[in-house]
Amino acid sequence: MIPVFNEGANVDALVARLRPVLDGITSEWEVVFVDDGSRDDTLARIRAFNEADPRLRAVSFSRNFGKEIAIAAGLDHVRGRATVIMDADLQHPPEMIATFVEKWREGYAMVYGQRTDRRADSPMRRKLTQMFYRLFDAFGETPLPEGAGDFRLLDRRAVDALRQLGERARFSKGLYAWIGFPSIGVPFDVADRVGGMSKFSTRKLFRFAADGITSFSTLPLKLWTYVGALVSAFAFVTGIWFIIRTMLWGVDVPGYASLIVSVMFLAGVQLISLGVIGEYIGRIFAEVKRRPLYIVGEQVGFGEQPAVAMPVRPLGVDRRRA
């Protein structure tokens, strides 16, 4: 299963390397591309592949919903006993799939690729990534394996478990860890992109990190209780000091600067705490609306029938049959 967004420059090279790998493992395989609202010729190229080989299929969204939602849609449509999730830019080497399958046949329900280095990332991005994983390990419900990403094999049991998780703000790396099952990592070197540029901007990465922390921890909410208690204790001690000073040395002329700094500091603490609360309330609002995770605009290679039986959560709306 491969989520794609404006990957027209990469899909030809990807399919050329992927086909012989899959043929060497089994004759019964399928590739499900999830087109996340691409604006280039990605879907047209996949249609051409499907005409030559029906095992290459696609689900196309009505608009861009994001990679995390694309992964969820792919899991809704895959049908095999095992599923491999990988990117289309060939930074995830297709040749690793054979190793994944070997580990799966040994009894592991989840086999994930572990990045051995991050030389392809900038120094700033590497530092921020390390900080995020430390925060997640400290605050999150379950620890994340070092270097693990979306490049992984999932047994059917793991796929079915993930399909039952219907939250809108999805952080797949955390969901993989949360469902459990016997897992093992396989080290691999990240290759350079064949074509195009990464679709994750710095802003999107920060948003992604916030989704990860808030989806798997309520500690940011609890933290402000302790901050409020600390500020209140500081204010109480300061008040006692002013009373004692006034009794000993009389009334002093109040300082304008200290007053302004105190007011601004307390206002900043209040606004930050309200922002954190608002972040969680916004997620509650998104969840209670119960909108479908995605809307299918087109299916390629699935015929008139759905690719899978109706899952626990809705698959979305197919405009061809609406």
Side-chain angles (χ1 to χ4, degrees):
M1 186 268 289
I2 306 173
V4 291
F5 176 61
N6 293 339
E7 296 287 358
N10 294 320
V11 290
D12 288 4
L14 172 64
V15 171
R17 284 179 59 180
L18 193 56
R19 260 199 197 125
V21 170
L22 297 178
D23 285 334
I25 297 172
T26 178
S27 59
E28 298 180 0
W29 56 264
E30 68 173 358
V31 176
V32 176
F33 291 93
V34 182
D35 179 34
D36 190 20
S38 296
R39 294 184 292 270
D40 62 358
D41 62 345
T42 298
L43 187 59
R45 291 176 180 270
I46 296 173
R47 286 198 198 98
F49 285 129
N50 174 257
E51 292 176 0
D53 188 344
R55 296 176 297 181
L56 300 171
R57 304 171 178 176
V59 176
S60 180
F61 288 165
S62 61
R63 65 168 176 85
N64 179 259
F65 283 88
K67 182 182 178 182
E68 297 298 301
I69 303 301
I71 291 175
L75 295 178
D76 285 340
H77 286 80
V78 295
R79 301 178 295 182
R81 293 191 298 123
T83 298
V84 174
I85 304 172
M86 63 183 301
D87 291 345
D89 54 14
L90 286 173
Q91 287 192 309
H92 297 162
E95 294 76 16
M96 288 292 299
I97 296 176
T99 306
F100 286 1
V101 172
E102 289 178 6
K103 295 297 182 182
W104 171 64
R105 287 171 176 165
E106 292 176 5
Y108 293 100
M110 197 179 314
V111 185
Y112 53 87
Q114 283 186 299
R115 301 180 62 165
T116 55
D117 65 78
R118 290 186 174 270
R119 288 177 296 180
D121 298 338
S122 65
M124 177 61 71
R125 182 165 175 174
R126 290 198 296 268
K127 188 66 176 178
L128 291 175
T129 300
Q130 292 174 356
M131 290 175 59
F132 166 75
Y133 278 101
R134 289 173 184 168
L135 284 173
F136 194 93
D137 287 342
F139 297 160
E141 298 174 1
T142 55
L144 298 180
E146 183 70 26
D150 293 321
F151 186 32
R152 63 184 58 222
L153 179 147
L154 302 172
D155 183 80
R156 188 74 229 179
R157 292 173 297 161
V159 171
D160 290 340
L162 288 168
R163 290 178 62 207
Q164 296 182 59
L165 308 179
E167 57 253 52
R168 271 61 184 158
R170 301 183 70 83
F171 179 64
S172 294
K173 295 181 180 66
L175 297 179
Y176 301 143
W178 185 86
I179 62 172
F181 294 111
S183 306
I184 189 172
V186 178
F188 77 100
D189 294 324
V190 179
D192 294 331
R193 286 182 62 92
V194 173
M197 298 178 61
S198 173
K199 309 304 185 298
F200 274 99
S201 63
T202 302
R203 180 181 63 84
K204 289 183 178 180
L205 288 172
F206 273 108
R207 180 76 262 173
F208 185 57
D211 286 342
I213 295 295
T214 54
S215 295
F216 285 88
S217 176
T218 58
L219 187 60
L221 285 173
K222 299 175 183 177
L223 180 64
W224 291 103
T225 302
Y226 301 119
V227 171
L230 182 63
V231 172
S232 298
F234 178 76
F236 179 77
V237 172
T238 303
I240 296 295
W241 161 246
F242 279 126
I243 292 174
I244 295 174
R245 192 181 68 171
T246 301
M247 294 175 62
L248 294 177
W249 296 291
V251 178
D252 193 8
V253 177
Y256 175 79
S258 61
L259 178 63
I260 292 299
V261 169
S262 300
V263 171
M264 292 181 65
F265 172 74
L266 293 175
V269 170
Q270 291 174 340
L271 289 175
I272 293 173
S273 61
L274 286 174
V276 174
I277 295 171
E279 187 74 25
Y280 280 88
I281 293 175
R283 294 175 188 280
I284 296 172
F285 178 64
E287 294 291 335
V288 299
K289 287 188 290 187
R290 303 303 298 169
R291 291 175 180 171
L293 281 180
Y294 56 89
I295 298 176
V296 176
E298 180 181 349
Q299 292 183 339
V300 177
F302 288 101
E304 292 300 322
Q305 299 299 320
V308 291
M310 185 62 67
V312 175
R313 63 164 179 265
L315 277 178
V317 180
D318 190 335
R319 293 186 300 183
R320 297 178 304 167
R321 297 192 290 271

